[in-house]
Every structure is written in C-alpha cells, then in structure tokens.
Amino acid sequence: MRVGSEHADLPGASAMRLLPWTGTGGKPCYVVGDGTGYVSRMADDIESIQLDMAGELLGHAADLLADDASTGPQVRFLAGRLTESLQQVVRVAESRGSRLDALLPDRPEPCTEEGAPGEVLP
C-alpha cells in the first residue's frame, strides 16, 4: 500500500506516516509532516522500543519452548505475546515501506510470485 503525498519529491513536501499505535476502535493513526516533528520523533522511539521488545520476546520464546517443563498455559501466553509483537512489527514495516514508496516513487513493486531458489523472476 502506498501512502503519501503526490508531491513528496518536492522540497518541504509532507507525507502521511502510519503511526505505531491505533486510535479509538483500533483505527490507524497517521501524522502528516516532514518526519522531523515531535509526533514523528515519538513514533520513531516507540518503533525502536517495539522492535527491541520483539527481539527480547524471541529469546524468551526460544527458552520457553526448549524447556520440557513448559505448561500449556505458558505456551498459550507466549503465543499471545508473539502475536501482539508480530502485529506491531508488521505495522512498523508497513509504515517504513510507505515512507520508502514516497521517497522512491519509481521503485518497482516487489515480486510476489514464488520461484525456485536462485531463479530470477521477471
């Protein structure tokens, strides 16, 4: 999904940025600006925290899953936290991808077809 201004390549142009939190009812939140304002800096900080926490959660997951004494409720709790974390990481990726699209509008769309390893797709 490409989100941005049609004039994002002009100096001083503003683009929409998907924020790493949601509004009322889970609706997406956006900020419009050049990426240097207070809300953009806060979003950068929150994205960094979310990505760091996702990495730490993966470490905890590996430990819990390697422990034969782990209980079903522990694994279900872990699955819930991993799901939440993955949703946050996907949101960060979508936000950053949209900003790249705004910066590089002539960039080719990524290929979604699967090919054999080493195969070059058109």
Side-chain angles (χ1 to χ4, degrees), residues 24-99:
T24 306
K27 293 182 180 177
C29 291
Y30 296 90
V31 66
V32 177
D34 62 2
T36 62
Y38 176 77
V39 174
S40 291
R41 290 191 312 271
M42 184 187 319
D44 290 341
D45 291 344
I46 290 173
E47 285 179 354
S48 178
I49 291 167
Q50 289 173 331
L51 294 174
D52 289 344
M53 289 175 63
E56 289 180 27
L57 183 58
L58 285 174
H60 293 305
D63 293 342
L64 184 71
L65 294 174
D67 184 356
D68 291 335
S70 297
T71 65
Q74 288 174 320
V75 173
R76 281 191 294 280
F77 182 80
L78 171 65
R81 302 304 68 80
L82 286 168
T83 299
E84 292 167 355
S85 182
L86 183 57
Q87 289 168 337
Q88 293 171 349
V89 169
V90 166
R91 186 175 195 84
V92 170
E94 288 173 349
S95 176
R96 292 180 180 186
S98 293
R99 287 183 279 157

